[in-house]
Amino acid sequence: MIARLQALEDEFKSELEESSAKDAVLSLKTKYLGRKGLFAALLKEIPTLAPEDRGAAGKAINILKRKIEEELDSRIETISKTERLQELSSESIDVTLPGRIAVSSGRLHPTTMIMDEIEDIFLGLGFDIAEGPELESDYYNFEALNIPKDHPAREMQDTFYIDEEHLLRTHTSPVQIHVMENSPPPLRVIAPGAVYRRDSDVTHTPMFHQVEGFMVDRGVTFADLKGLLTLFLQRLFGKKTPVRFRPSFFPFTEPSAEVDIGCVICRSKDSACRVCKGTGWLEILGSGLIHPRVFESVNYDSTEFTGFAFGLGIERIAMLKYGIDDIRLFYENDLDFLTQF
Ligand code: PHE
């Protein structure tokens, strides 16, 4: 029996040597260890042996059986590991390869482009940028700007009210109050942002953008306002753009002026121009010297300090610069429109 086991072990070794595929090793396992395998047959022979030999034979068979089992299992494990490694390396993705689909990049919205351009001009003139809340109290949007409750100017701006005391700001002028409450003069500030009015047609959307600007110091005059706004508008629309100031009214400025530029569409030459309606002029912004009542509400001494303020609509500027005739196009998210700029 011992000699047979020795021969069986030798045979197994050479067979294992030749089996490199997983399937071959598995069928070796069946051949030796299966229910009808070689070891099962050997164990069946034990009762036929002489009684005194049975113990030793059984022991020798089981030792070899376990040895073969271990060898087969470790071979199967090695093969599985190699297979897994091969699989991993063949499936790996080279993330450094260029993509096959051209991804088009996003771009800035025309409103943002104009806003950036305006901010650049004023940053270059030493202005700071401030922001204020879009949900305002009646006090900041009206009261502190010298627009009391019964003032007819409240009718000019169709306000979205949240409740008795709160509203969506109708202009960026309340930022003047926030900034002046929190910092002493001298100040040079612009405040861009969204504003809201109950209005919708080709030149009005319920939400649009304004830039507020103001400067406060000792000895600021109307001449400073004229000089700064002329410089700003000529940087924005071109050096030769004519600029004129017309008397106007705002409760928070005195005196007040509306500012016009020569029509950028017809260059003031077409008496039938649809944009300037043949007048040759386009209204661009509201402005004036800050009213002493406004200084009073932020505890500035109006005998010592003076200042000017102005406000303009961004979408209107973008429409004039790019020749767009319907403001609603800005907020329809139509890519054919937006990718032109
Ligand atoms: N707040 C005014 C408006 O929305 C514009 C303005 C700002 C006018 C500052 C004068 C001074 O129409």
Side-chain angles (χ1 to χ4, degrees), residues 157 170-173 176 197 210 212-213 250 252-253 286-288 309-312:
Q157 309 187 346
T170 59
H171 53 175
T172 43
S173 298
Q176 288 184 37
R197 290 182 197 178
Q210 286 190 334
E212 191 81 7
F250 298 101
F252 34 91
T253 47
S287 66
F310 58 90
L312 68 156

Side-chain angles (χ1 to χ4, degrees), residues 239-274:
K239 252 193 184 145
K240 299 209 170 88
T241 309
V243 177
R244 77 172 182 188
F245 291 73
R246 261 183 309 110
S248 184
F249 173 80
F250 298 101
F252 34 91
T253 47
E254 182 60 34
S256 304
E258 245 152 357
V259 185
D260 299 339
I261 57 169
C263 182
V264 292
I265 305 296
C266 73
R267 297 280 153 204
S268 309
K269 288 193 178 89
D270 180 4
S271 60
C273 176
R274 280 197 312 136

